[in-house]
Amino acid sequence: MKSSRPKTGDKRRANQPLKIDRLPAVVHEAIQYLKNIRGKTWQEIEEQSSRPFSANWQKDFGGFVPWETLPIDVLELFPDLRLPHTNLHRWYDLRVSQVQAEVMARSEQARVIARAFAKSVVAKSDEAVINAARDQIMSVLSEDASPKGRMSAAKALIGLAEVMQGARGNKIKERKATVDERRIRMAEEKEKLARQRMEAATTQAAKKIKDGKFGIDDINALREKVFGMPPLEAVTHA
């Protein structure tokens, strides 16, 4: 019996490229713009894709696919020089809607982790658990583009940084009985400088979160100044 066509929200059985994936990124952006900003139907987007290409397509409603410059092997995928509405719908579902849903799910997972962290990890200061929480929250922070998800994860990360600084301070106090006074002073001075860097970084981050301007550069600043971690590479999505 022949299997039915995949429906909206259905995952692909195999992670194979779609025809529209072969088109330039500007075409992908145009599809999302026409759907999300202009509210066009898939049939309307298909019709506009068949028009002669215009660099000013957003205003003059010309074509947004540069058919004349595409390689032959890509043109062969679209013999009618238009993007079929069924292809558009499936591409958007797989590459945009489902990806956004997964990001939101990861964001909610980060909030659950942050709540659990606040209840138990803070009291225990278990380094392995703290590091695991840090990595999970950092991952969501870098991937979730929604203001709510990013703000939630960023706040959890700042709280995590404060706990880590407190744990480091406690370790210095514990070592006072076994190390000489000079080494204690050096360790305390190092801790003081680290705390000052953390306070400056977290204060700046908190202000940007409040203003809704917390971005990838701020994530990297927290990673470097508070955790001593390398910066994230910029992630681009089709």
Side-chain angles (χ1 to χ4, degrees), residues 189-213:
E189 183 62 26
K190 184 178 179 180
E191 173 62 24
K192 179 181 177 181
L193 291 173
R195 186 161 50 251
Q196 289 173 345
R197 287 197 300 270
M198 186 208 75
E199 289 173 353
T202 54
T203 297
Q204 184 179 14
K207 184 178 184 302
K208 288 198 173 186
I209 289 170
K210 183 178 179 181
D211 295 339
K213 299 178 180 178

Side-chain angles (χ1 to χ4, degrees), residues 87-141:
N87 291 24
L88 285 164
H89 188 183
R90 185 58 175 160
W91 178 87
Y92 186 90
D93 179 50
L94 285 170
R95 299 294 185 251
V96 182
S97 297
Q98 291 188 27
V99 170
Q100 289 176 346
E102 288 171 3
V103 167
M104 292 304 293
R106 285 197 295 270
S107 178
E108 177 58 29
Q109 183 183 19
R111 286 192 279 273
V112 171
I113 289 173
R115 287 194 292 270
F117 168 80
K119 292 179 181 178
S120 60
V121 178
V122 172
K124 295 177 182 178
S125 295
D126 185 295
E127 187 171 355
V129 179
I130 288 177
N131 289 339
R134 176 202 66 191
D135 293 342
Q136 180 67 34
I137 294 171
M138 193 76 74
S139 172
V140 175
L141 182 61

Side-chain angles (χ1 to χ4, degrees), residues 28-98:
H28 304 159
E29 293 166 4
I31 294 169
Q32 294 180 66
Y33 172 83
L34 291 170
K35 184 64 179 176
N36 298 337
I37 307 301
R38 289 289 179 84
K40 298 286 186 180
T41 66
W42 296 124
Q43 285 81 0
E44 288 172 333
I45 296 174
E46 175 183 346
E47 196 280 324
Q48 187 168 344
S49 74
S50 67
R51 300 172 191 170
F53 177 75
S54 169
N56 200 30
W57 60 267
Q58 291 179 334
K59 294 182 179 179
D60 62 19
F61 305 106
F64 57 87
V65 183
W67 298 112
E68 297 85 356
T69 64
L70 296 179
I72 294 297
D73 60 328
V74 175
L75 286 173
E76 289 175 346
L77 299 173
F78 305 94
D80 297 328
L81 298 185
R82 64 196 301 130
L83 305 181
H85 63 273
T86 52
N87 291 24
L88 285 164
H89 188 183
R90 185 58 175 160
W91 178 87
Y92 186 90
D93 179 50
L94 285 170
R95 299 294 185 251
V96 182
S97 297
Q98 291 188 27

